[in-house]
Amino acid sequence: MQVQAVQGDIAQFKADAVIVNLFEGVTKPGGGTGAVDQVLGGILSQELQANAKAFKGKLGETWVLPTYGKLPARFVIIVGLGKQEEMKALQLRRASAAAIRACQKLKIKSAATLLHGAGIGGYDTEAAARLLTEGALLGNYKFTKRKGAKTTEENTDNGNSKDEFETLTIVEQSGDKLPAVEAGIRFANVIAQNTNLARDWVNDSANHVTPSFLKAQAEQIPGLSCTVLDFAQIKQLGMGAFELVAQGTEQPAYLIHLTYKPQGEAKKKIALVGKGVTFDSGGLSLKPAASMELMKMDMAGAAAVIATLKAVAELDNLPVEVHGFVPTCENMPSGRSSKPGDIVTAMNGKTIEVNNTDAEGRLILCDALTYAQKETNPDELLDLATLTGACVVALGKAAGGIMGTCDDLIDRIRKAGENAGEKHWPLPLYDEYKAFLKSDVADMINSGAKGEAGSSAGGMFLKEFVDKNRAWAHMDIAGPAWISADAPEVPKGGTGFAVRTLLYYLYNLA
Ligand code: BES
Ligand code: ZN
Ligand code: MN
């Protein structure tokens, strides 16, 4: 699907449908919606009145009318924007996604749309175009790549699965505004397509998305430099914790390092670290079947990091040096895999008693964190991981957990998430939780007091590998990385969670 912009009169535009909007509680439509109503001879407002109980203009509601030849388009789709005084980025994105869902239902190929909400709630033309485009592309996403032999040639491999809907045209009355609309579209294309790419990787199965697959994807991104450590190098560099997890599987493990360097001087250096466990069986501390079923998604942090770096390279206008580190391997039981009680030495010299091989995320991340800091000495260090089931228990699918060493950094990420339409809820790293790390035989244990503050325990473990005074945030995305109920802009399955947050954080977008 593509989004484009033209100057013109939406009522005269040739497309299968025209998308207009309505704020909740408004009975007499004005603006662009009112103009379309006039061309329709007042049918639209009559219908709205007649169906006032069924369609109220609530956020994400849609109502479809035939145009009976009064417009070049066959349908008018009215999308609810919610209450005008509550207008926020979320509304614009969600309304647009809902309109695209309505187009999917009508099985049409094209639509012309008003630029919802421009000039309202502080959203200028460019932001409104960006949010509309994001919503449309995110809402139109479907993972169809592995469906049926006959569809494979139609399925694209570029991060957007096969589309039925083809073209959305933003019709803008004033030609002066067109450049701003186009700028918004350009930005949103990159944000949404890379979110959809991350979704593809998370949705695809673990026999396809292996560590080698992630490595190959990372290596082929234009505009980034990519270096990859293999198992021998991981071992040689003293990453004993990562090595222990990686040794148990036939699939070769890698530590991928992607770098974006700006044209001019970099104002800041940021390192992102993403957990890339392409399948988490638990290892010898084997998961029960039901908990294992979805563990192809345990590389969602890695997907978010790689997709974000790819977006940054495509936009190529960020005055920040960005590094992406992805430790990637499988967590499997085998004759070579780690045994509960094994003791290893991590790259920073600390010894770890691995009492539970299912707490593997922190083992691969701790060495990646040490390595990332050694290699880049970043101003800000973020890690993203589907780290704990406890985080899903605490926050459900609605939000990721966030914790770290720098409140300002956490605030900025949370704010970025709010604007991006993703929630991150703070969890504490209290000194009391240090007790969770206590081992009788090593410096620390990888899985402490069961049933108590499990997400914070994971954070406390990782904190042991973060340099003093480093601004660091740990994002536990175990919940929102995968959902089983649709939201308009987030179809069920892999969500690509955090790609948007990271880009809004890096670009400081509102
Ligand atoms: N990948 C899992 C966490 C997870 C659970 C992600 C559910 C998404 C949905 C992680 O490796 C894990 O197994 N964590 C253990 C930690 C425990 C052994 C300390 C858990 O949550 O049970
Ligand atoms: Zn895991
Ligand atoms: Mn695990």
Side-chain angles (χ1 to χ4, degrees), residues 431-501:
D431 278 344
E432 283 88 334
Y433 299 155
K434 273 196 184 144
F436 295 155
L437 302 179
K438 212 186 143 350
S439 162
D440 290 336
V441 289
D443 296 338
M444 53 205 285
I445 200 163
N446 79 326
S447 165
K450 289 248 153 49
E452 289 180 39
S455 305
S456 295
M460 291 304 284
F461 183 96
L462 294 176
K463 192 174 168 212
E464 293 294 310
F465 299 84
V466 174
D467 300 337
K468 240 198 156 102
N469 300 325
R470 178 88 57 200
W472 163 70
H474 161 57
M475 299 161 72
D476 192 333
I477 62 171
W482 184 279
I483 57 170
S484 36
D486 272 336
E489 71 279 26
V490 193
K492 67 184 176 193
T495 58
F497 188 81
V499 174
R500 282 191 273 153
T501 299

Side-chain angles (χ1 to χ4, degrees), residues 275 280 287 295 297-298 356 358-362 386-390 392 446-447 450 478:
K275 174 180 173 182
D280 181 11
K287 286 183 186 295
M295 280 302 131
M297 58 76 89
D298 213 15
N356 190 327
D358 198 12
E360 85 295 341
R362 61 200 74 180
T386 46
L387 203 72
T388 64
V392 193
N446 79 326
S447 165
K450 289 248 153 49

Side-chain angles (χ1 to χ4, degrees), residues 179-317:
V181 175
E182 276 160 357
I185 293 175
R186 218 173 305 128
F187 214 111
N189 260 317
V190 175
I191 294 177
Q193 277 167 4
N194 286 294
T195 301
N196 287 344
L197 181 60
R199 289 171 173 182
D200 269 355
W201 294 339
V202 175
N203 281 324
D204 207 349
S205 57
N207 59 322
H208 290 107
V209 177
T210 58
S212 311
F213 172 89
L214 290 180
K215 166 180 176 282
Q217 293 296 310
E219 281 171 340
Q220 72 189 31
I221 302 173
L224 298 176
S225 66
C226 181
T227 55
V228 178
L229 303 179
D230 64 13
F231 185 71
Q233 291 166 302
I234 289 162
K235 215 164 142 169
Q236 205 219 324
L237 283 163
M239 301 185 188
F242 186 7
E243 179 195 342
L244 191 76
V245 182
Q247 77 189 23
T249 157
E250 299 297 320
Q251 289 291 339
Y254 301 104
L255 179 49
I256 302 164
H257 176 190
L258 286 168
T259 306
Y260 171 77
K261 283 210 166 122
Q263 314 273 332
E265 205 198 322
K267 290 206 185 108
K268 222 181 198 181
K269 205 191 288 176
I270 293 176
L272 311 173
V273 181
K275 174 180 173 182
V277 174
T278 58
F279 190 73
D280 181 11
S281 72
L284 282 179
S285 310
L286 197 66
K287 286 183 186 295
S291 320
M292 204 190 292
E293 201 179 320
L294 272 179
M295 280 302 131
K296 66 174 184 181
M297 58 76 89
D298 213 15
M299 36 56 73
V305 168
I306 299 172
T308 298
L309 265 287
K310 181 165 169 283
V312 169
E314 285 170 7
L315 291 165
D316 197 19
N317 58 1

Side-chain angles (χ1 to χ4, degrees), residues 368-378 381 465-467 470:
L369 285 170
T370 305
Y371 183 74
Q373 293 170 97
K374 266 201 163 163
E375 285 288 300
T376 67
N377 188 26
L381 174 68
F465 299 84
V466 174
D467 300 337
R470 178 88 57 200

